[in-house]
Amino acid sequence: MEPIGKEEKIACVIGDRSTSDVDVRLRTQEGRDDWLYCHSEILVKNCKYFADRLSENWPTCQILDSRNCVDVYCQELNFDYHVAVELGCPQIVTACVNYLEAVTWEEAEEDEILKIVPRMGLQAEPILARLQPVNQSAIVNIFVSALRFATSSPPPQMNDLKSSAQEQLEYMLTEDDDAPLLTADDNIKLEILSKLEIMREFVVYWFDASDKIVKVLEQGSSTTEVIEIKLRAIEVTSKVLEAIGYGTVILPTAKRLQVLKVWLPFVRVTKPLIDSVTMNCENAMLLKLDGEMWQSLESTFVSIILALPSGDQAEVLTEWLDNEYMQYPDLTEAFEVWCYRSKVAKRRLSLLEDEHAMTNSF
């Protein structure tokens, strides 16, 4: 029996014109035809449409060649849209559902899935479950968890994760082409406000103590222990500057400028010292600060500078250009933006003066 089974399997290969007994012509509205060479035994067994079409009860079954050549009309230009459910092929539907439910989708594919899947019947409902709106309580839970992480102080190697969490929090609350993912209720507001209040108090405390902290650290020796203390101070300061630079804690202009004048020179001189000791010290691991942390701190300096009045920006950038330690933090981005905005400011002022003059003339 086994050899016979193999022979039958070989004899029933779709597309084998020499053994097929049914020619299926797929037709579109554009008149494009595709021919498939099939076997009636397999079609009848697995597809209701062909079981009916090739039966003796079909109205045109007695017409010459009507059972040997079957036209299938596709409403869509793409044959992929002529889904198996329309032809009554449950095995194909099942295979499609299982596959789509198990794999990830690109955003562009979701519209196509929403168009096709409902036509596949109840069997396809597991696919649509992934596209249903999320329960509101689940949204609140993930928001609160993300907020706690975004306002925490994770290890340096987790800074990218923290930044991502902060970005997603903003996105969840932002109204763009779509409505915000959630509206802050009393519990969420309480969670946010408590975090912000704690951070605000800490930033104010650190600001008030910054002058004294820097003076004490600058008087210290160059021993490994002292350099490590300086490093830890920079780590804390980076958190404070991040809160200031990205608007988590609002400080007046004068205080933001003062923060830069205190910590920018300290960080600028201390980083080369830390780098030097890290390369030559046996306890280098104790002094290692993640490279992404330095990059994040540099970006924060740039953000704070660009939020200052243009005159204050010019003061900070002039000091940077005159300094021998200008390599870090690299303020090139702030310098480029300042140059561009300064040129644009003149043009805008000229336009405003022209508009004002035209208004007065009327």
Side-chain angles (χ1 to χ4, degrees), residues 57-189:
N57 298 323
W58 193 261
T60 60
C61 71
Q62 303 301 327
I63 299 177
L64 185 64
D65 292 334
S66 67
R67 296 185 63 185
N68 301 104
C69 182
V70 179
D71 287 344
V72 176
Y73 293 89
C74 301
Q75 298 300 318
E76 304 289 346
L77 297 180
N78 192 325
F79 292 152
D80 292 340
Y81 291 114
H82 201 76
V83 295
V85 69
E86 295 183 11
L87 299 180
C89 302
Q91 290 179 324
I92 298 179
V93 173
T94 299
C96 290
V97 169
N98 291 342
Y99 175 78
L100 290 174
E101 200 276 329
V103 299
T104 58
W105 310 326
E106 299 292 336
E107 181 181 358
E109 295 173 326
E110 293 190 353
D111 289 338
E112 184 177 351
I113 288 172
L114 283 172
K115 179 181 179 181
I116 297 173
V117 167
R119 294 158 60 184
M120 298 173 70
L122 296 177
Q123 190 177 1
E125 286 188 354
I127 299 176
L128 298 177
R130 199 189 303 180
L131 299 174
Q132 298 301 317
V134 182
N135 181 277
Q136 190 67 17
S137 62
I139 295 176
V140 172
N141 290 339
I142 195 171
F143 179 86
V144 172
S145 296
L147 177 64
R148 290 170 181 166
F149 177 69
T151 55
S152 65
S153 298
Q157 60 268 27
M158 297 179 67
N159 282 338
D160 282 347
L161 295 176
K162 179 177 178 179
S163 297
S164 176
Q166 292 171 338
E167 292 173 2
Q168 295 310 310
L169 285 171
E170 181 180 357
Y171 176 73
M172 291 170 74
L173 295 172
T174 299
E175 181 174 1
D176 39 37
D177 292 339
D178 299 306
L181 197 54
L182 80 168
T183 302
D185 59 17
D186 291 341
N187 292 332
I188 295 177
K189 290 176 181 178

Side-chain angles (χ1 to χ4, degrees), residues 107-323:
E107 181 181 358
E109 295 173 326
E110 293 190 353
D111 289 338
E112 184 177 351
I113 288 172
L114 283 172
K115 179 181 179 181
I116 297 173
V117 167
R119 294 158 60 184
M120 298 173 70
L122 296 177
Q123 190 177 1
E125 286 188 354
I127 299 176
L128 298 177
R130 199 189 303 180
L131 299 174
Q132 298 301 317
V134 182
N135 181 277
Q136 190 67 17
S137 62
I139 295 176
V140 172
N141 290 339
I142 195 171
F143 179 86
V144 172
S145 296
L147 177 64
R148 290 170 181 166
F149 177 69
T151 55
S152 65
S153 298
Q157 60 268 27
M158 297 179 67
N159 282 338
D160 282 347
L161 295 176
K162 179 177 178 179
S163 297
S164 176
Q166 292 171 338
E167 292 173 2
Q168 295 310 310
L169 285 171
E170 181 180 357
Y171 176 73
M172 291 170 74
L173 295 172
T174 299
E175 181 174 1
D176 39 37
D177 292 339
D178 299 306
L181 197 54
L182 80 168
T183 302
D185 59 17
D186 291 341
N187 292 332
I188 295 177
K189 290 176 181 178
L190 180 61
E191 185 80 26
I192 295 175
L193 293 176
S194 62
K195 291 288 184 182
L196 292 179
E197 184 61 25
I198 293 172
M199 179 59 74
R200 190 192 69 81
E201 291 178 359
F202 179 73
V203 168
V204 171
Y205 170 81
W206 194 256
F207 172 82
D208 292 339
S210 287
D211 280 328
K212 295 179 181 178
I213 293 172
V214 169
K215 287 180 181 178
V216 170
L217 293 176
E218 287 177 338
Q219 293 173 2
S221 62
S222 297
T223 63
T224 303
E225 290 77 10
V226 173
I227 294 176
E228 184 179 355
I229 293 174
K230 292 182 178 181
L231 176 60
R232 302 312 166 204
I234 291 176
E235 288 180 327
V236 175
T237 301
S238 70
K239 304 298 181 184
V240 172
L241 294 179
E242 185 178 274
I244 296 172
Y246 296 102
T248 305
V249 176
I250 306 300
L251 289 182
T253 301
K255 289 190 175 182
R256 282 183 276 124
L257 180 60
Q258 181 63 20
V259 164
L260 288 176
K261 289 183 176 180
V262 172
W263 287 106
L264 193 55
F266 179 80
V267 171
R268 180 184 293 147
V269 173
T270 305
K271 185 180 187 297
L273 182 62
I274 293 174
D275 291 343
S276 175
V277 175
T278 300
M279 294 177 61
N280 303 311
C281 178
E282 293 181 0
N283 297 322
M285 292 303 296
L286 296 175
L287 297 173
K288 186 176 181 181
L289 186 61
D290 192 277
E292 294 180 359
M293 184 67 173
W294 289 115
Q295 182 63 41
S296 176
L297 182 57
E298 183 176 82
S299 298
T300 302
F301 276 126
V302 171
S303 297
I304 296 176
I305 291 170
L306 292 178
L308 293 172
S310 56
D312 293 332
Q313 291 183 40
E315 179 184 351
V316 174
L317 293 171
T318 299
E319 194 273 336
W320 167 66
L321 290 168
D322 290 338
N323 198 287

